[in-house]
Amino acid sequence: MLKIEETVYSPCSGTVEKVLTEKDSHVYEWERLFLIKAHNGKIEEISVGISGHITSLNVKDGQKVDTETALAVIEDDLIITGSD
């Protein structure tokens, strides 16, 4: 069976305020995974347009990140879900 892994990168530089998922958890399309406090003070909610299992969780609360930081890796379950 085909396995597709998607790496989730931070969209901004800042500090991880909260990790909202765990390794080996199943996540749903557009579920919030991380909260990152950007350098401008704004809280960015991180989500992705795929569902699947977290195979690697690379950051923890309080960690500094930038746009090169891989936050997590998700193995896509290839299930298409619809939402408005």
Side-chain angles (χ1 to χ4, degrees):
M1 183 171 170
L2 179 67
K3 286 187 177 184
I4 297 175
E5 290 195 327
E6 186 79 30
T7 301
V8 180
Y9 290 93
S10 177
C12 61
S13 294
T15 305
V16 178
E17 282 286 299
K18 187 75 178 155
V19 176
L20 302 171
T21 190
E22 296 177 359
K23 187 176 182 305
D24 299 322
S25 292
H26 184 272
V27 295
Y28 295 95
E29 193 174 2
W30 304 119
E31 179 180 341
R32 294 184 319 155
L33 305 176
F34 305 93
L35 298 177
I36 296 178
K37 186 173 188 176
H39 289 311
N40 65 7
K42 184 178 179 204
I43 301 291
E44 298 284 342
E45 296 182 353
I46 313 307
S47 59
V48 290
I50 64 170
S51 59
H53 285 87
I54 303 282
T55 58
S56 177
L57 195 58
N58 304 329
V59 295
K60 58 186 183 292
D61 293 357
Q63 183 172 330
K64 301 279 187 214
V65 296
D66 60 32
T67 56
E68 302 293 314
T69 305
L71 304 175
V73 177
I74 300 173
E75 184 180 307
D76 195 330
D77 61 13
L78 303 176
I79 296 173
I80 309 271
T81 57
S83 63
D84 290 337

